[in-house]
């Protein structure tokens, strides 16, 4: 997997101070995409999992990790993203995990695939759905267009219905 970018700290990609990983490659090609270069699977540098985890561990201000892109949950990236979250949680178990995906939660569940289910179980908050330019609004918090939802994943999986975060 290639990495399109990495922020050591950010407060605009989820609640609290977070590291942000942008993976490369996206199959959705949304018109008006905020990160068009990251649609290319070969863009950026090789993702070095250990190096990134070490960088995160050096920063005590962080409360979580956000994984964005590109598309972290496409078939090309999802297994490596899952390994990254698993290894990061070993050293920072208190970290919460936000993930941005162009797939909806329902589409991910419909895959009925072991890797996808494992990764969903590791995510605390999923900001889901493709970016829709006609639904773009400037004042939306942590999302680009109104169709996108900020989902409490553990709660949604537990009660078998969609639980969104109110913000
Ligand atoms: S899902 Fe995100 S990265 Fe992919 S094309 Fe749409 S806006 Fe761009």
């Amino acid at each position: 997997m290639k990495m399109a970018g990495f922020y050591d700290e950010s407060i605009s990609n989820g609640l609290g101070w977070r590291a942000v990983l942008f993976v490369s490659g996206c199959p959705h090609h949304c018109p008006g995409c905020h990160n068009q270069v990251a649609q290319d699977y070969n863009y950026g540098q090789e993702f070095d999992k250990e190096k990134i985890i070490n960088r995160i561990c050096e920063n005590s201000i962080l409360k979580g990790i956000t994984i964005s892109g590109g598309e972290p949950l496409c078939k090309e990236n999802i297994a490596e993203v899952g390994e990254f979250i698993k290894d990061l949680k070993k050293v920072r178990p208190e970290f919460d995990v936000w993930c941005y995906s162009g797939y909806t939660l329902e589409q991910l569940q419909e895959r009925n695939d072991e890797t996808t289910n494992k990764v969903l179980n590791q995510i605390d908050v999923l900001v889901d759905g493709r970016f829709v330019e006609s639904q773009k609004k400037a004042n939306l918090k942590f999302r680009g267009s109104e169709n996108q939802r900020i989902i409490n994943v553990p709660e949604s999986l537990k009660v078998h219905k969609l639980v969104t975060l109110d913000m």
Side-chain angles (χ1 to χ4, degrees):
M1 182 172 79
K2 291 278 186 77
M3 178 177 93
F6 179 74
Y7 294 162
D8 285 287
E9 48 189 52
S10 163
I11 53 163
S12 54
N13 292 273
L15 286 172
W17 286 99
R18 325 184 60 78
V20 188
L21 170 68
F22 298 89
V23 305
S24 297
C26 180
H28 303 299
H29 304 288
C30 313
C33 169
H34 62 102
N35 200 1
Q36 217 168 338
V37 288
Q39 291 182 19
D40 179 354
Y41 290 89
N42 291 313
Y43 177 76
Q45 49 186 293
E46 207 55 50
F47 174 60
D48 184 335
K49 184 179 63 175
E50 275 74 36
K51 199 168 148 189
I52 291 296
I53 290 175
N54 288 339
R55 260 169 87 167
I56 291 170
C57 288
E58 281 167 11
N59 192 340
S60 59
I61 201 176
L62 299 174
K63 80 174 279 285
I65 176 77
T66 296
I67 306 169
S68 185
E71 173 55 72
L73 305 184
C74 62
K75 65 179 185 336
E76 291 84 355
N77 292 334
I78 191 167
E80 218 166 328
V81 165
E83 283 299 307
F84 169 61
I85 299 172
K86 191 177 84 188
D87 288 357
L88 178 61
K89 286 281 213 176
K90 282 182 195 157
V91 287
R92 298 296 295 264
E94 78 286 6
F95 256 36
D96 68 344
V97 178
W98 281 50
C99 182
Y100 283 78
S101 174
Y103 299 106
T104 61
L105 178 62
E106 291 83 352
Q107 286 171 330
L108 293 165
Q109 288 177 310
E110 275 164 20
R111 283 185 191 171
N112 207 10
D113 155 70
E114 198 183 328
T115 306
T116 304
N117 292 341
K118 264 191 195 162
V119 173
L120 279 177
N121 277 306
Q122 295 171 310
I123 293 173
D124 296 291
V125 176
L126 178 73
V127 185
D128 82 341
R130 295 166 63 149
F131 173 69
V132 177
E133 208 162 15
S134 60
Q135 296 188 48
K136 178 181 174 179
K137 278 214 172 136
N139 59 351
L140 296 173
K141 213 166 178 187
F142 305 132
R143 57 201 175 117
S145 58
E146 262 184 323
N147 61 298
Q148 295 171 317
R149 307 170 298 181
I150 305 177
I151 299 170
N152 178 333
V153 179
E155 202 54 30
S156 298
L157 296 181
K158 194 167 106 193
V159 302
H160 302 292
K161 65 174 188 185
L162 196 75
V163 181
T164 55
L165 295 187
D166 202 14
M167 54 182 67

